[in-house]
Amino acid sequence: MTISRRNFLKVAGAAGGVLLAGGQKPAQAAVPDADPKGLEFYGMLIDTTKCIGCRSCEEACNEKNKLAKPDVSFSSETVFEKKRDTTPEAFTVVNKFPNPKDPEKPIFVRKQCMHCNQPACATACLVKALEKTPEGPVKYNKDRCMGCRYCMVSCPFDAPKYEYNSNMPYLKKCVFCFDKVKNGEQPACVEACPEGASFFGKRRELLEIARQRIYQNPDKYHPYIYGEHEAGGTSMLFLSSVPVEKLDLRMNVGNTSYPEKTTGFLYAVPHIFILWPTFLFGLSYLTHSKDKENGHGEE
Ligand code: SF4
Ligand code: SF4
């Protein structure tokens, strides 16, 4: 598999974090649907053929996480005029795409942290502020965070966002309503979805449901489950009626988890990491300066 320059930097970001964390091997080899102790991961099946773009999931997420109210109301469709990314005040956003199969029925696709099976962000974090839980959600402990933003550099999906405009900046991203999941409840966005477009369950069972839907409705679904293998597999799984490339879902992330990709690299050239912190800080600075110039990263 070829790896782009951008992805090299992300892989390298994860690698640097691992080495700096103590030269340990990255997390255990891929276990597709479970943590190393065998507990099955939960996940979320996003069936974009069911989504009507009501943004109830966005609103529920906003309320659950006590985020500031957006300038444009959740009932306004003007937000669909341009593609949106997550921000420190919006952990999940819905975007609209043309539907080549049915121009009258646009496709709506949610965007948020993918809760990777083996998250690069958690591997890159030197202080374990980001952690893959045995239940599947990748949670964040702000009290541990030192603001280095290695996680942002390493995430293949650009999910974590940073509060640049805050005096006490922290990382912000979806944490899969970990407190609710831990208590046997569903994430707020799933509870709020009136169409069942966001469906919560054990990742393994969700994959079975997704395969069944594809098998039983070959004209309706494109035969691909996004997230089954991407970046080593993710808790967020997507079904769609069209190839996912048309929905801005990243296809260039490979099928190997980012921590796993770095193993050989780590042990082959250990001395490179003496300079790693300087390199990553420089990289992060340049990336975000560029983002700010382009108007991204500013809230
Ligand atoms: S999508 Fe990014 S932030 Fe979310 S778990 Fe994966 S690596 Fe971490
Ligand atoms: S709540 Fe459900 S139907 Fe509404 S935008 Fe979110 S996923 Fe789509």
Side-chain angles (χ1 to χ4, degrees):
M1 187 196 65
T2 54
I3 189 161
S4 66
R5 180 176 166 277
R6 177 185 175 80
N7 280 339
F8 167 76
L9 292 175
K10 288 178 176 296
V11 169
V18 170
L19 190 102
L20 288 167
Q24 295 157 352
K25 276 192 161 196
Q28 189 144 336
V31 183
D33 298 303
D35 89 322
K37 290 181 198 128
L39 207 67
E40 277 189 69
F41 291 150
Y42 283 103
M44 203 184 289
L45 178 61
I46 315 281
D47 189 337
T48 62
T49 67
K50 291 180 183 284
C51 181
I52 55 172
C54 67
R55 300 175 63 216
S56 301
C57 48
E58 285 188 32
E59 188 167 10
C61 176
N62 193 281
E63 276 169 19
K64 167 72 178 73
N65 292 293
K66 300 188 173 55
L67 304 177
K69 286 226 179 308
D71 296 337
V72 182
S73 104
F74 285 110
S75 57
S76 169
E77 294 197 0
T78 56
V79 291
F80 294 131
E81 284 162 12
K82 58 180 184 182
K83 295 288 172 292
R84 293 178 301 151
D85 194 4
T86 55
T87 73
E89 296 298 343
F91 298 171
T92 186
V93 292
V94 180
N95 281 315
K96 181 178 168 184
F97 297 86
N99 185 347
K101 280 183 165 178
D102 183 356
E104 297 298 310
K105 198 170 177 289
I107 301 172
F108 297 97
V109 184
R110 283 182 56 179
K111 183 173 189 182
Q112 67 289 298
C113 168
M114 296 288 285
H115 298 277
C116 306
N117 286 0
Q118 292 189 70
C121 61
T123 308
C125 181
L126 308 184
V127 290
K128 288 196 171 215
L130 285 154
E131 198 184 336
K132 179 75 175 171
T133 61
E135 292 82 1
V138 176
K139 68 174 187 179
Y140 174 62
N141 184 340
K142 72 181 175 68
D143 296 331
R144 288 189 186 162
C145 181
M146 60 180 185
C148 67
R149 286 166 282 146
Y150 288 173
C151 52
M152 290 176 69
V153 177
S154 62
C155 172
F157 301 102
D158 286 337
K161 295 294 185 297
Y162 196 65
E163 296 177 301
Y164 288 105
N165 292 341
S166 166
N167 293 332
M168 288 281 285
Y170 290 108
L171 187 82
K172 293 285 183 169
K173 76 167 195 76
C174 156
V175 293
F176 211 101
C177 293
F178 179 65
D179 53 341
K180 285 168 75 65
V181 170
K182 188 95 183 141
N183 286 333
E185 295 170 52
Q186 310 197 41
C189 58
V190 174
E191 286 174 344
C193 181
E195 300 293 318
S198 300
F199 191 70
F200 172 76
K202 296 279 187 193
R203 184 178 186 271
R204 182 183 49 80
E205 290 169 5
L206 295 179
L207 282 169
E208 278 168 24
I209 292 169
R211 283 191 201 105
Q212 226 168 35
R213 285 187 190 177
I214 292 171
Y215 180 73
Q216 290 171 352
N217 305 280
D219 294 337
K220 181 174 177 185
Y221 292 102
H222 180 68
Y224 192 81
I225 307 168
Y226 185 83
E228 180 173 13
H229 300 296
E230 275 70 23
T234 62
S235 280
M236 308 300 290
L237 303 165
F238 291 78
L239 278 179
S240 71
S241 58
V242 299
V244 290
E245 297 90 314
K246 297 192 186 305
L247 307 176
D248 276 4
L249 290 168
R250 288 192 180 168
M251 292 301 287
N252 62 350
V253 295
N255 287 348
T256 310
S257 79
Y258 277 51
E260 212 180 317
K261 273 181 189 174
T262 59
T263 311
F265 179 56
L266 278 174
Y267 292 95
V269 284
H271 53 275
I272 193 173
F273 297 108
I274 295 166
L275 295 172
W276 197 254
T278 318
F279 173 66
L280 269 185
F281 273 123
L283 184 64
S284 180
Y285 175 78
L286 285 174
T287 306
H288 293 118
S289 306
K290 197 82 191 157
D291 277 354
K292 282 183 179 171
E293 272 171 33
N294 293 336
H296 305 305
E298 301 278 9
E299 302 313 319

